[in-house]
Amino acid sequence: MTRRLLIVEDDPGLQSQMRWCFSEDLEVAVASDRDSALAALRREEPDVVTLDLGLPPDPGGATEGFALLEDILRLSPMTKVIVVTGREDKENAVKAIGMGASDFYQKPLDADILTFVVNRAFRLAELERENQALARQGNGTNIKGIVAASPQMLGICRTLEKVAPTDVTTLITGETGTGKELLARALHDLSPRAGKPFAAINCAAIPENLLESELFGYEKGAFTGATQSKKGKIESANGGTLFLDEIGDMPMALQAKLLRFLQERMVDRVGSVQPIPVDVRVVCATHRNVKDLIDAGDFREDLYYRISEITLDVPSVRERDGDALVIAQSLLKTLGKELDRPNLSFAEDAVNAISSYSWPGNVREMINKVKRATIMADGKRVTAEDLELSCDGTVTGNQLNLRQVREIAERQAIIQALRSCNFNMAQASRLLGITRPTLYNLTDKYRIETSQTETGT
């Protein structure tokens, strides 16, 4: 990979001296003020910038240099900025480091020291890129069973990692099949309670007349058939985590008893008069809108506030940018090993179908379809037909062509720049980080009107 350096220095003599300090394998660009530096930043995308704080129109101060430092860190946060200061200007160097500069260098120019500092910054940038690449090779998360690369899901995972070590009662909401139980187990596994029991109960799957005894347990003789005492799910989770799945379907009569347990951490078995103290962390989940249930009178508002000290709203697969294909590829690899069909891969029509399908059943539906495809695929390539998906959708093969994607983005950026600069070509070219002749060539290429009569997008 070509290494790129941008030198921001208003003194032409120092520009030349600094430029010739570096070997030919380094691409060096120079800029003498804030505007030209920002244009070069966009155009060259340098890995490292050396920044003289004393830039016009304030060459004797540092205001323009600090403003440019903020711009660089905002527009290109991965770029390493080395601030160049005078020997008597240590205070500004410290301030720049505090703002986010990676290093500083003090004048007068010493070629060996400058080269060492710049090479160190390049090495740091390289290590960060390698670290990001390694992170992308995994699932993108540290949570067992969760495969994600989208910012929506990674945000949920980061929140979960912060919440897990605490004992706060957590409510996980989201559509069916989004992996709410996996997140609940992750809350347990990443907590100090990991070595203790994890007890789960589905409030929608057990008849109302049995749910109370399943949750709270019962004493011998409490009802017909109760020939011996039995612990409920809450007691069995003592010291660990209790997971109440589909709590939105819990009967109103039991909600009052659950609320009392959450407040007092005492269990009343059916048929008992002696409360039993229990130490559990409670995690709840539901696919239903609890606030709508409260408005309809089907869920207690006070219980909602008890169970939702922290709420994790899990996005559906269609709301997770790019995750559908990432999840499908992970499933294909896992299921291929399980079904003795290794080295399978998705054909182009399957990739298009996976990306364009809305996945109403979320990950659970995807597991079924990928498992079927793993079994039915004739060769090494899984097709859309194997997945029982059509190729119709918003994403097509042509739209995955990188050249066309780039041209669409380029055209939209030019139009936006022209409009924001009131169709002033000189200002728009500086904003885009290109020369004015290049901008004219691009407007001709994409047939973009260069006056305010332009109406297309």
Side-chain angles (χ1 to χ4, degrees):
M1 177 179 289
T2 303
R3 300 190 303 169
R4 294 179 295 273
L5 170 69
L6 171 61
I7 298 172
V8 184
E9 171 59 61
D10 65 326
D11 185 321
L14 276 176
Q15 269 189 10
S16 297
Q17 290 181 50
M18 293 175 71
R19 185 167 193 163
W20 293 113
C21 285
F22 303 103
S23 59
E24 294 180 357
D25 66 339
L26 197 66
E27 284 189 6
V28 181
V30 294
S32 56
D33 55 35
R34 185 179 174 189
D35 287 343
S36 61
L38 289 175
L41 182 75
R42 293 185 173 98
R43 182 173 61 250
E44 305 295 340
E45 297 182 348
D47 306 290
V48 178
V49 175
T50 65
L51 171 60
D52 182 7
L53 292 178
L55 296 175
D58 183 25
T63 55
E64 195 73 1
F66 281 130
L68 178 55
L69 175 60
E70 288 182 342
D71 290 337
I72 294 172
L73 295 175
R74 184 183 73 255
L75 295 171
S76 183
M78 297 299 293
T79 298
K80 304 304 164 199
V81 182
I82 301 168
V83 171
V84 180
T85 66
R87 288 224 178 262
E88 308 302 323
D89 207 11
K90 292 183 179 179
E91 185 178 332
N92 281 337
V94 172
K95 180 180 177 182
I97 296 295
M99 290 173 62
S102 64
D103 210 338
F104 71 93
Y105 172 80
Q106 291 182 324
K107 298 177 182 177
L109 180 66
D110 183 307
D112 291 336
I113 297 176
L114 178 61
T115 302
F116 173 79
V117 172
V118 169
N119 285 335
R120 182 168 60 186
F122 274 115
R123 181 55 181 158
L124 177 60
E126 182 183 351
L127 288 172
E128 288 187 358
R129 282 195 302 269
E130 290 175 357
N131 187 50
Q132 286 186 334
L134 288 171
R136 285 193 294 269
Q137 289 175 8
N139 294 340
T141 76
N142 295 320
I143 298 174
K144 182 180 178 181
I146 297 295
V147 178
S150 66
Q152 298 92 334
M153 197 62 189
L154 291 178
I156 292 290
C157 294
R158 298 294 87 80
T159 301
L160 185 145
E161 289 170 350
K162 293 178 182 178
V163 172
T166 71
D167 266 345
V168 295
T169 304
T170 306
L171 175 63
I172 305 173
T173 61
E175 294 180 8
T176 299
T178 51
K180 296 188 292 295
E181 183 167 353
L182 284 176
L183 293 176
R185 287 188 178 275
L187 283 170
H188 175 73
D189 292 340
L190 297 175
S191 75
R193 299 175 178 269
K196 300 294 183 178
F198 176 88
I201 187 167
N202 190 320
C203 301
I206 300 174
E208 181 176 347
N209 60 333
L210 297 179
L211 184 57
E212 181 179 8
S213 59
E214 284 293 318
L215 271 174
F216 297 94
Y218 54 84
E219 293 291 348
K220 180 179 179 180
F223 49 82
T224 304
T227 57
Q228 59 184 5
S229 298
K230 180 185 175 183
K231 288 183 180 180
K233 286 287 186 180
I234 297 176
E235 275 188 82
S236 66
N238 191 27
T241 302
L242 172 69
F243 176 50
L244 300 175
D245 198 8
E246 298 302 349
I247 194 170
D249 294 287
M250 178 174 281
M252 284 292 286
L254 267 185
Q255 290 179 28
K257 190 167 183 178
L258 178 63
L259 177 63
R260 182 170 180 269
F261 159 70
L262 291 173
Q263 290 172 336
E264 301 179 7
R265 301 292 166 165
M266 304 284 284
V267 169
D268 292 315
R269 289 183 182 177
V270 177
S272 172
V273 294
Q274 184 64 41
I276 302 169
V278 179
D279 171 30
V280 296
R281 194 246 183 100
V282 178
V283 179
C284 305
T286 181
H287 74 284
R288 306 183 69 178
N289 188 313
V290 181
K291 291 186 178 179
D292 288 346
L293 294 174
I294 292 170
D295 292 340
D298 294 327
F299 201 88
R300 295 179 62 113
E301 188 172 13
D302 49 1
L303 177 58
Y304 169 69
Y305 291 119
R306 274 288 175 183
I307 64 174
S308 61
E309 292 177 332
I310 292 289
T311 299
L312 299 177
D313 188 13
V314 186
S316 61
V317 170
R318 64 182 169 276
E319 296 170 324
R320 295 162 54 175
D321 299 339
D323 269 3
L325 187 56
V326 173
I327 297 168
Q329 288 172 333
S330 176
L331 288 172
L332 185 64
K333 182 178 180 181
T334 302
L335 293 169
K337 289 180 179 178
E338 291 179 1
L339 299 171
D340 197 25
R341 300 229 33 205
N343 303 319
L344 287 176
S345 62
F346 289 116
E348 185 178 352
D349 65 340
V351 170
N352 296 339
I354 291 166
S355 301
S356 61
Y357 185 55
S358 64
W359 296 106
N362 293 293
V363 180
R364 193 169 294 151
E365 178 185 11
M366 190 180 289
I367 292 171
N368 291 340
K369 287 193 176 297
V370 174
K371 181 178 285 188
R372 179 195 186 279
T374 302
I375 296 170
M376 298 302 296
D378 289 327
K380 294 292 185 181
R381 304 274 279 175
V382 173
T383 66
E385 184 179 356
D386 296 329
L387 290 163
E388 293 188 324
L389 295 175
S390 71
C391 296
D392 299 331
T394 56
V395 178
T396 65
N398 288 336
Q399 288 172 315
L400 289 176
N401 182 284
L402 286 178
R403 180 180 60 80
Q404 293 184 6
V405 171
R406 184 171 61 249
E407 288 179 351
I408 291 169
E410 202 167 48
R411 187 177 192 278
Q412 290 175 341
I414 292 168
I415 292 171
Q416 184 177 348
L418 287 169
R419 287 176 173 170
S420 65
C421 297
N422 201 24
F423 289 83
N424 183 303
M425 295 293 283
Q427 291 181 15
S429 62
R430 285 196 296 271
L431 182 63
L432 291 165
I434 57 178
T435 64
R436 190 157 39 168
T438 300
L439 179 56
Y440 277 112
N441 289 336
L442 289 172
T443 55
D444 290 341
K445 175 183 176 181
Y446 297 126
R447 299 180 182 179
I448 299 172
E449 294 290 337
T450 56
S451 66
Q452 295 190 37
T453 57
E454 200 281 321
T455 57
T457 57

